[in-house]
Amino acid sequence: MKVTDRLGTVWRVRRRWLPWRRRLRDMTPDWFPHIGGLGDDPISMIIGLIALVIFLPVFILLLVVALEFLLLLLLLPFVVLARVLFGHHWVVEARKGSWPGDLWWDAPSGSWSESGQRIDNIAGLIQQGRTPPPTVGD
């Protein structure tokens, strides 16, 4: 659920579908290197190789993030099925800022219907200007 507090900050209150938080999301850069205008002469090849060596860690990190995302998509049906069959509690989280937002608050909230009520309650408090205390450290 997307809500806005009295100061105009956007919050997202939702269930966490997987029992863990993604770790590599915060490590991805906000920019992507753009090397344009390289020709086919030897100097351009040298510049391109230097740029490749410099940006190779960025490319490797993006590959690891993509593989993690594919693993999460593969495991999601099994985790949801286990939650339904074994009755694990859903975790409700509130994120501050634009998507995906900074994780501000999270708490276990019971069954599907109980977590839905908790989402509505937390979203209502945020709209009234009473944000929950931060429970997640940096």
PDB file of all heavy atoms in Angstrom, residues 93-126:
ATOM      1  N   GLU A  93       6.361  -4.712   6.448  1.00  0.00           N
ATOM      2  CA  GLU A  93       7.444  -3.739   6.465  1.00  0.00           C
ATOM      3  C   GLU A  93       6.972  -2.411   5.901  1.00  0.00           C
ATOM      4  O   GLU A  93       6.063  -2.366   5.076  1.00  0.00           O
ATOM      5  CB  GLU A  93       8.657  -4.257   5.696  1.00  0.00           C
ATOM      6  CG  GLU A  93       8.404  -4.521   4.232  1.00  0.00           C
ATOM      7  CD  GLU A  93       9.611  -5.130   3.531  1.00  0.00           C
ATOM      8  OE1 GLU A  93      10.457  -5.732   4.202  1.00  0.00           O
ATOM      9  OE2 GLU A  93       9.694  -4.974   2.310  1.00  0.00           O
ATOM     10  N   ALA A  94       7.583  -1.339   6.398  1.00  0.00           N
ATOM     11  CA  ALA A  94       7.306   0.017   5.903  1.00  0.00           C
ATOM     12  C   ALA A  94       8.608   0.563   5.335  1.00  0.00           C
ATOM     13  O   ALA A  94       9.642   0.542   5.996  1.00  0.00           O
ATOM     14  CB  ALA A  94       6.795   0.907   7.024  1.00  0.00           C
ATOM     15  N   ARG A  95       8.534   1.042   4.095  1.00  0.00           N
ATOM     16  CA  ARG A  95       9.698   1.614   3.425  1.00  0.00           C
ATOM     17  C   ARG A  95       9.441   3.085   3.152  1.00  0.00           C
ATOM     18  O   ARG A  95       8.364   3.460   2.711  1.00  0.00           O
ATOM     19  CB  ARG A  95       9.978   0.883   2.115  1.00  0.00           C
ATOM     20  CG  ARG A  95      10.428  -0.532   2.344  1.00  0.00           C
ATOM     21  CD  ARG A  95      10.768  -1.224   1.039  1.00  0.00           C
ATOM     22  NE  ARG A  95      11.367  -2.510   1.293  1.00  0.00           N
ATOM     23  CZ  ARG A  95      12.671  -2.719   1.406  1.00  0.00           C
ATOM     24  NH1 ARG A  95      13.497  -1.703   1.268  1.00  0.00           N
ATOM     25  NH2 ARG A  95      13.145  -3.922   1.647  1.00  0.00           N
ATOM     26  N   LYS A  96      10.454   3.890   3.417  1.00  0.00           N
ATOM     27  CA  LYS A  96      10.346   5.341   3.276  1.00  0.00           C
ATOM     28  C   LYS A  96      11.040   5.768   1.989  1.00  0.00           C
ATOM     29  O   LYS A  96      12.175   5.389   1.740  1.00  0.00           O
ATOM     30  CB  LYS A  96      11.010   6.007   4.477  1.00  0.00           C
ATOM     31  CG  LYS A  96      10.921   7.498   4.503  1.00  0.00           C
ATOM     32  CD  LYS A  96      11.597   8.015   5.769  1.00  0.00           C
ATOM     33  CE  LYS A  96      11.473   9.500   5.880  1.00  0.00           C
ATOM     34  NZ  LYS A  96      12.123  10.002   7.098  1.00  0.00           N
ATOM     35  N   GLY A  97      10.353   6.551   1.169  1.00  0.00           N
ATOM     36  CA  GLY A  97      10.943   7.062  -0.062  1.00  0.00           C
ATOM     37  C   GLY A  97      10.392   6.360  -1.285  1.00  0.00           C
ATOM     38  O   GLY A  97       9.544   5.481  -1.211  1.00  0.00           O
ATOM     39  N   SER A  98      10.918   6.763  -2.447  1.00  0.00           N
ATOM     40  CA  SER A  98      10.448   6.183  -3.696  1.00  0.00           C
ATOM     41  C   SER A  98      10.939   4.748  -3.830  1.00  0.00           C
ATOM     42  O   SER A  98      11.842   4.316  -3.117  1.00  0.00           O
ATOM     43  CB  SER A  98      10.922   7.028  -4.875  1.00  0.00           C
ATOM     44  OG  SER A  98      12.328   7.066  -4.893  1.00  0.00           O
ATOM     45  N   TRP A  99      10.369   4.015  -4.772  1.00  0.00           N
ATOM     46  CA  TRP A  99      10.623   2.599  -4.910  1.00  0.00           C
ATOM     47  C   TRP A  99      12.095   2.316  -5.092  1.00  0.00           C
ATOM     48  O   TRP A  99      12.738   3.017  -5.847  1.00  0.00           O
ATOM     49  CB  TRP A  99       9.839   2.029  -6.089  1.00  0.00           C
ATOM     50  CG  TRP A  99       9.894   0.541  -6.117  1.00  0.00           C
ATOM     51  CD1 TRP A  99       9.050  -0.300  -5.474  1.00  0.00           C
ATOM     52  CD2 TRP A  99      10.845  -0.278  -6.800  1.00  0.00           C
ATOM     53  NE1 TRP A  99       9.418  -1.591  -5.715  1.00  0.00           N
ATOM     54  CE2 TRP A  99      10.516  -1.604  -6.529  1.00  0.00           C
ATOM     55  CE3 TRP A  99      11.931  -0.016  -7.600  1.00  0.00           C
ATOM     56  CZ2 TRP A  99      11.230  -2.671  -7.032  1.00  0.00           C
ATOM     57  CZ3 TRP A  99      12.658  -1.077  -8.102  1.00  0.00           C
ATOM     58  CH2 TRP A  99      12.300  -2.386  -7.819  1.00  0.00           C
ATOM     59  N   PRO A 100      12.709   1.322  -4.482  1.00  0.00           N
ATOM     60  CA  PRO A 100      12.124   0.420  -3.511  1.00  0.00           C
ATOM     61  C   PRO A 100      12.030   1.038  -2.122  1.00  0.00           C
ATOM     62  O   PRO A 100      11.367   0.512  -1.256  1.00  0.00           O
ATOM     63  CB  PRO A 100      13.072  -0.772  -3.512  1.00  0.00           C
ATOM     64  CG  PRO A 100      14.386  -0.205  -3.865  1.00  0.00           C
ATOM     65  CD  PRO A 100      14.090   0.946  -4.791  1.00  0.00           C
ATOM     66  N   GLY A 101      12.703   2.147  -1.900  1.00  0.00           N
ATOM     67  CA  GLY A 101      12.630   2.835  -0.612  1.00  0.00           C
ATOM     68  C   GLY A 101      13.582   2.253   0.417  1.00  0.00           C
ATOM     69  O   GLY A 101      14.098   1.154   0.265  1.00  0.00           O
ATOM     70  N   ASP A 102      13.824   3.032   1.454  1.00  0.00           N
ATOM     71  CA  ASP A 102      14.690   2.591   2.538  1.00  0.00           C
ATOM     72  C   ASP A 102      13.841   1.882   3.586  1.00  0.00           C
ATOM     73  O   ASP A 102      12.854   2.431   4.063  1.00  0.00           O
ATOM     74  CB  ASP A 102      15.401   3.784   3.179  1.00  0.00           C
ATOM     75  CG  ASP A 102      16.292   4.511   2.192  1.00  0.00           C
ATOM     76  OD1 ASP A 102      16.899   3.829   1.349  1.00  0.00           O
ATOM     77  OD2 ASP A 102      16.385   5.747   2.261  1.00  0.00           O
ATOM     78  N   LEU A 103      14.251   0.687   3.954  1.00  0.00           N
ATOM     79  CA  LEU A 103      13.503  -0.068   4.951  1.00  0.00           C
ATOM     80  C   LEU A 103      13.581   0.658   6.285  1.00  0.00           C
ATOM     81  O   LEU A 103      14.654   0.943   6.794  1.00  0.00           O
ATOM     82  CB  LEU A 103      14.067  -1.485   5.064  1.00  0.00           C
ATOM     83  CG  LEU A 103      13.307  -2.433   5.960  1.00  0.00           C
ATOM     84  CD1 LEU A 103      11.864  -2.596   5.504  1.00  0.00           C
ATOM     85  CD2 LEU A 103      13.988  -3.781   5.988  1.00  0.00           C
ATOM     86  N   TRP A 104      12.422   1.003   6.837  1.00  0.00           N
ATOM     87  CA  TRP A 104      12.336   1.800   8.060  1.00  0.00           C
ATOM     88  C   TRP A 104      11.862   0.952   9.234  1.00  0.00           C
ATOM     89  O   TRP A 104      12.358   1.041  10.332  1.00  0.00           O
ATOM     90  CB  TRP A 104      11.382   2.969   7.810  1.00  0.00           C
ATOM     91  CG  TRP A 104      11.166   3.872   8.970  1.00  0.00           C
ATOM     92  CD1 TRP A 104      10.168   3.791   9.896  1.00  0.00           C
ATOM     93  CD2 TRP A 104      11.961   4.988   9.348  1.00  0.00           C
ATOM     94  NE1 TRP A 104      10.292   4.795  10.810  1.00  0.00           N
ATOM     95  CE2 TRP A 104      11.387   5.554  10.492  1.00  0.00           C
ATOM     96  CE3 TRP A 104      13.102   5.574   8.814  1.00  0.00           C
ATOM     97  CZ2 TRP A 104      11.910   6.666  11.116  1.00  0.00           C
ATOM     98  CZ3 TRP A 104      13.620   6.688   9.431  1.00  0.00           C
ATOM     99  CH2 TRP A 104      13.024   7.225  10.572  1.00  0.00           C
ATOM    100  N   TRP A 105      10.857   0.119   8.980  1.00  0.00           N
ATOM    101  CA  TRP A 105      10.195  -0.616  10.062  1.00  0.00           C
ATOM    102  C   TRP A 105       9.760  -1.970   9.537  1.00  0.00           C
ATOM    103  O   TRP A 105       9.310  -2.091   8.396  1.00  0.00           O
ATOM    104  CB  TRP A 105       8.990   0.197  10.528  1.00  0.00           C
ATOM    105  CG  TRP A 105       8.144  -0.463  11.565  1.00  0.00           C
ATOM    106  CD1 TRP A 105       8.315  -0.396  12.917  1.00  0.00           C
ATOM    107  CD2 TRP A 105       7.000  -1.274  11.345  1.00  0.00           C
ATOM    108  NE1 TRP A 105       7.345  -1.127  13.544  1.00  0.00           N
ATOM    109  CE2 TRP A 105       6.527  -1.676  12.604  1.00  0.00           C
ATOM    110  CE3 TRP A 105       6.342  -1.720  10.222  1.00  0.00           C
ATOM    111  CZ2 TRP A 105       5.420  -2.483  12.754  1.00  0.00           C
ATOM    112  CZ3 TRP A 105       5.236  -2.534  10.368  1.00  0.00           C
ATOM    113  CH2 TRP A 105       4.776  -2.901  11.629  1.00  0.00           C
ATOM    114  N   ASP A 106       9.899  -3.003  10.355  1.00  0.00           N
ATOM    115  CA  ASP A 106       9.319  -4.304  10.023  1.00  0.00           C
ATOM    116  C   ASP A 106       8.992  -5.053  11.308  1.00  0.00           C
ATOM    117  O   ASP A 106       9.587  -4.800  12.350  1.00  0.00           O
ATOM    118  CB  ASP A 106      10.226  -5.134   9.107  1.00  0.00           C
ATOM    119  CG  ASP A 106      11.542  -5.529   9.737  1.00  0.00           C
ATOM    120  OD1 ASP A 106      11.844  -5.063  10.852  1.00  0.00           O
ATOM    121  OD2 ASP A 106      12.283  -6.309   9.122  1.00  0.00           O
ATOM    122  N   ALA A 107       7.983  -5.928  11.218  1.00  0.00           N
ATOM    123  CA  ALA A 107       7.561  -6.706  12.381  1.00  0.00           C
ATOM    124  C   ALA A 107       6.755  -7.909  11.910  1.00  0.00           C
ATOM    125  O   ALA A 107       6.008  -7.819  10.937  1.00  0.00           O
ATOM    126  CB  ALA A 107       6.700  -5.850  13.314  1.00  0.00           C
ATOM    127  N   PRO A 108       6.905  -9.063  12.581  1.00  0.00           N
ATOM    128  CA  PRO A 108       6.055 -10.205  12.263  1.00  0.00           C
ATOM    129  C   PRO A 108       4.605  -9.880  12.602  1.00  0.00           C
ATOM    130  O   PRO A 108       4.331  -9.242  13.617  1.00  0.00           O
ATOM    131  CB  PRO A 108       6.596 -11.330  13.147  1.00  0.00           C
ATOM    132  CG  PRO A 108       7.573 -10.719  14.066  1.00  0.00           C
ATOM    133  CD  PRO A 108       7.859  -9.339  13.618  1.00  0.00           C
ATOM    134  N   SER A 109       3.688 -10.320  11.730  1.00  0.00           N
ATOM    135  CA  SER A 109       2.307  -9.859  11.897  1.00  0.00           C
ATOM    136  C   SER A 109       1.254 -10.942  11.765  1.00  0.00           C
ATOM    137  O   SER A 109       0.105 -10.651  11.488  1.00  0.00           O
ATOM    138  CB  SER A 109       2.022  -8.756  10.875  1.00  0.00           C
ATOM    139  OG  SER A 109       2.890  -7.679  11.080  1.00  0.00           O
ATOM    140  N   GLY A 110       1.602 -12.184  11.931  1.00  0.00           N
ATOM    141  CA  GLY A 110       0.587 -13.230  11.968  1.00  0.00           C
ATOM    142  C   GLY A 110       0.161 -13.727  10.608  1.00  0.00           C
ATOM    143  O   GLY A 110       0.926 -13.726   9.652  1.00  0.00           O
ATOM    144  N   SER A 111      -1.090 -14.144  10.524  1.00  0.00           N
ATOM    145  CA  SER A 111      -1.633 -14.748   9.311  1.00  0.00           C
ATOM    146  C   SER A 111      -1.838 -13.702   8.223  1.00  0.00           C
ATOM    147  O   SER A 111      -1.590 -12.516   8.413  1.00  0.00           O
ATOM    148  CB  SER A 111      -2.960 -15.436   9.631  1.00  0.00           C
ATOM    149  OG  SER A 111      -3.944 -14.464   9.947  1.00  0.00           O
ATOM    150  N   TRP A 112      -2.361 -14.174   7.083  1.00  0.00           N
ATOM    151  CA  TRP A 112      -2.586 -13.281   5.947  1.00  0.00           C
ATOM    152  C   TRP A 112      -3.562 -12.168   6.317  1.00  0.00           C
ATOM    153  O   TRP A 112      -3.314 -10.995   6.047  1.00  0.00           O
ATOM    154  CB  TRP A 112      -3.120 -14.096   4.776  1.00  0.00           C
ATOM    155  CG  TRP A 112      -3.392 -13.287   3.550  1.00  0.00           C
ATOM    156  CD1 TRP A 112      -4.585 -12.735   3.186  1.00  0.00           C
ATOM    157  CD2 TRP A 112      -2.454 -12.913   2.549  1.00  0.00           C
ATOM    158  NE1 TRP A 112      -4.450 -12.045   2.014  1.00  0.00           N
ATOM    159  CE2 TRP A 112      -3.138 -12.147   1.599  1.00  0.00           C
ATOM    160  CE3 TRP A 112      -1.108 -13.152   2.360  1.00  0.00           C
ATOM    161  CZ2 TRP A 112      -2.520 -11.624   0.475  1.00  0.00           C
ATOM    162  CZ3 TRP A 112      -0.494 -12.629   1.235  1.00  0.00           C
ATOM    163  CH2 TRP A 112      -1.203 -11.875   0.318  1.00  0.00           C
ATOM    164  N   SER A 113      -4.669 -12.505   6.945  1.00  0.00           N
ATOM    165  CA  SER A 113      -5.665 -11.477   7.285  1.00  0.00           C
ATOM    166  C   SER A 113      -5.150 -10.547   8.383  1.00  0.00           C
ATOM    167  O   SER A 113      -5.384  -9.341   8.339  1.00  0.00           O
ATOM    168  CB  SER A 113      -6.982 -12.130   7.697  1.00  0.00           C
ATOM    169  OG  SER A 113      -6.795 -12.954   8.823  1.00  0.00           O
ATOM    170  N   GLU A 114      -4.443 -11.096   9.381  1.00  0.00           N
ATOM    171  CA  GLU A 114      -3.882 -10.248  10.435  1.00  0.00           C
ATOM    172  C   GLU A 114      -2.844  -9.283   9.877  1.00  0.00           C
ATOM    173  O   GLU A 114      -2.798  -8.115  10.270  1.00  0.00           O
ATOM    174  CB  GLU A 114      -3.245 -11.119  11.522  1.00  0.00           C
ATOM    175  CG  GLU A 114      -4.244 -11.913  12.329  1.00  0.00           C
ATOM    176  CD  GLU A 114      -3.572 -12.954  13.216  1.00  0.00           C
ATOM    177  OE1 GLU A 114      -2.345 -13.181  13.059  1.00  0.00           O
ATOM    178  OE2 GLU A 114      -4.268 -13.530  14.063  1.00  0.00           O
ATOM    179  N   SER A 115      -2.024  -9.770   8.944  1.00  0.00           N
ATOM    180  CA  SER A 115      -1.022  -8.876   8.347  1.00  0.00           C
ATOM    181  C   SER A 115      -1.689  -7.814   7.478  1.00  0.00           C
ATOM    182  O   SER A 115      -1.217  -6.681   7.410  1.00  0.00           O
ATOM    183  CB  SER A 115       0.002  -9.677   7.547  1.00  0.00           C
ATOM    184  OG  SER A 115      -0.608 -10.346   6.468  1.00  0.00           O
ATOM    185  N   GLY A 116      -2.810  -8.151   6.834  1.00  0.00           N
ATOM    186  CA  GLY A 116      -3.542  -7.150   6.063  1.00  0.00           C
ATOM    187  C   GLY A 116      -4.094  -6.045   6.947  1.00  0.00           C
ATOM    188  O   GLY A 116      -4.053  -4.866   6.597  1.00  0.00           O
ATOM    189  N   GLN A 117      -4.613  -6.432   8.125  1.00  0.00           N
ATOM    190  CA  GLN A 117      -5.103  -5.429   9.074  1.00  0.00           C
ATOM    191  C   GLN A 117      -3.955  -4.571   9.595  1.00  0.00           C
ATOM    192  O   GLN A 117      -4.092  -3.361   9.761  1.00  0.00           O
ATOM    193  CB  GLN A 117      -5.817  -6.108  10.236  1.00  0.00           C
ATOM    194  CG  GLN A 117      -7.118  -6.759   9.849  1.00  0.00           C
ATOM    195  CD  GLN A 117      -7.710  -7.587  10.976  1.00  0.00           C
ATOM    196  OE1 GLN A 117      -7.070  -7.816  11.995  1.00  0.00           O
ATOM    197  NE2 GLN A 117      -8.942  -8.059  10.768  1.00  0.00           N
ATOM    198  N   ARG A 118      -2.816  -5.195   9.821  1.00  0.00           N
ATOM    199  CA  ARG A 118      -1.650  -4.441  10.316  1.00  0.00           C
ATOM    200  C   ARG A 118      -1.163  -3.455   9.261  1.00  0.00           C
ATOM    201  O   ARG A 118      -0.769  -2.333   9.581  1.00  0.00           O
ATOM    202  CB  ARG A 118      -0.544  -5.419  10.697  1.00  0.00           C
ATOM    203  CG  ARG A 118       0.643  -4.765  11.342  1.00  0.00           C
ATOM    204  CD  ARG A 118       0.737  -5.230  12.769  1.00  0.00           C
ATOM    205  NE  ARG A 118       1.734  -4.534  13.521  1.00  0.00           N
ATOM    206  CZ  ARG A 118       2.672  -5.123  14.235  1.00  0.00           C
ATOM    207  NH1 ARG A 118       2.743  -6.433  14.250  1.00  0.00           N
ATOM    208  NH2 ARG A 118       3.505  -4.418  14.934  1.00  0.00           N
ATOM    209  N   ILE A 119      -1.189  -3.856   7.990  1.00  0.00           N
ATOM    210  CA  ILE A 119      -0.812  -2.948   6.903  1.00  0.00           C
ATOM    211  C   ILE A 119      -1.727  -1.733   6.910  1.00  0.00           C
ATOM    212  O   ILE A 119      -1.273  -0.587   6.808  1.00  0.00           O
ATOM    213  CB  ILE A 119      -0.853  -3.675   5.541  1.00  0.00           C
ATOM    214  CG1 ILE A 119       0.301  -4.658   5.436  1.00  0.00           C
ATOM    215  CG2 ILE A 119      -0.817  -2.681   4.385  1.00  0.00           C
ATOM    216  CD1 ILE A 119       0.232  -5.564   4.230  1.00  0.00           C
ATOM    217  N   ASP A 120      -3.040  -1.967   7.021  1.00  0.00           N
ATOM    218  CA  ASP A 120      -3.997  -0.860   7.055  1.00  0.00           C
ATOM    219  C   ASP A 120      -3.748   0.050   8.257  1.00  0.00           C
ATOM    220  O   ASP A 120      -3.798   1.278   8.137  1.00  0.00           O
ATOM    221  CB  ASP A 120      -5.428  -1.390   7.092  1.00  0.00           C
ATOM    222  CG  ASP A 120      -5.821  -2.086   5.802  1.00  0.00           C
ATOM    223  OD1 ASP A 120      -5.208  -1.796   4.757  1.00  0.00           O
ATOM    224  OD2 ASP A 120      -6.744  -2.919   5.835  1.00  0.00           O
ATOM    225  N   ASN A 121      -3.463  -0.534   9.433  1.00  0.00           N
ATOM    226  CA  ASN A 121      -3.216   0.269  10.636  1.00  0.00           C
ATOM    227  C   ASN A 121      -1.963   1.119  10.500  1.00  0.00           C
ATOM    228  O   ASN A 121      -1.967   2.309  10.816  1.00  0.00           O
ATOM    229  CB  ASN A 121      -3.095  -0.638  11.869  1.00  0.00           C
ATOM    230  CG  ASN A 121      -4.405  -1.295  12.238  1.00  0.00           C
ATOM    231  OD1 ASN A 121      -5.466  -0.853  11.826  1.00  0.00           O
ATOM    232  ND2 ASN A 121      -4.327  -2.372  12.992  1.00  0.00           N
ATOM    233  N   ILE A 122      -0.860   0.517  10.032  1.00  0.00           N
ATOM    234  CA  ILE A 122       0.398   1.254   9.889  1.00  0.00           C
ATOM    235  C   ILE A 122       0.255   2.342   8.832  1.00  0.00           C
ATOM    236  O   ILE A 122       0.729   3.474   9.013  1.00  0.00           O
ATOM    237  CB  ILE A 122       1.550   0.291   9.555  1.00  0.00           C
ATOM    238  CG1 ILE A 122       1.797  -0.675  10.710  1.00  0.00           C
ATOM    239  CG2 ILE A 122       2.819   1.044   9.207  1.00  0.00           C
ATOM    240  CD1 ILE A 122       2.209  -0.013  12.001  1.00  0.00           C
ATOM    241  N   ALA A 123      -0.416   2.032   7.732  1.00  0.00           N
ATOM    242  CA  ALA A 123      -0.621   3.038   6.680  1.00  0.00           C
ATOM    243  C   ALA A 123      -1.460   4.207   7.214  1.00  0.00           C
ATOM    244  O   ALA A 123      -1.179   5.367   6.908  1.00  0.00           O
ATOM    245  CB  ALA A 123      -1.293   2.407   5.464  1.00  0.00           C
ATOM    246  N   GLY A 124      -2.468   3.906   8.010  1.00  0.00           N
ATOM    247  CA  GLY A 124      -3.285   4.966   8.606  1.00  0.00           C
ATOM    248  C   GLY A 124      -2.482   5.842   9.549  1.00  0.00           C
ATOM    249  O   GLY A 124      -2.631   7.071   9.560  1.00  0.00           O
ATOM    250  N   LEU A 125      -1.624   5.224  10.364  1.00  0.00           N
ATOM    251  CA  LEU A 125      -0.774   6.003  11.273  1.00  0.00           C
ATOM    252  C   LEU A 125       0.179   6.913  10.499  1.00  0.00           C
ATOM    253  O   LEU A 125       0.394   8.068  10.876  1.00  0.00           O
ATOM    254  CB  LEU A 125       0.024   5.060  12.181  1.00  0.00           C
ATOM    255  CG  LEU A 125      -0.753   4.308  13.246  1.00  0.00           C
ATOM    256  CD1 LEU A 125       0.144   3.302  13.953  1.00  0.00           C
ATOM    257  CD2 LEU A 125      -1.356   5.287  14.243  1.00  0.00           C
ATOM    258  N   ILE A 126       0.742   6.396   9.422  1.00  0.00           N
ATOM    259  CA  ILE A 126       1.662   7.208   8.618  1.00  0.00           C
ATOM    260  C   ILE A 126       0.932   8.389   7.998  1.00  0.00           C
ATOM    261  O   ILE A 126       1.446   9.510   7.979  1.00  0.00           O
ATOM    262  CB  ILE A 126       2.342   6.336   7.545  1.00  0.00           C
ATOM    263  CG1 ILE A 126       3.321   5.363   8.222  1.00  0.00           C
ATOM    264  CG2 ILE A 126       3.071   7.188   6.517  1.00  0.00           C
ATOM    265  CD1 ILE A 126       3.917   4.333   7.294  1.00  0.00           C
TER     266      ILE A 126
END
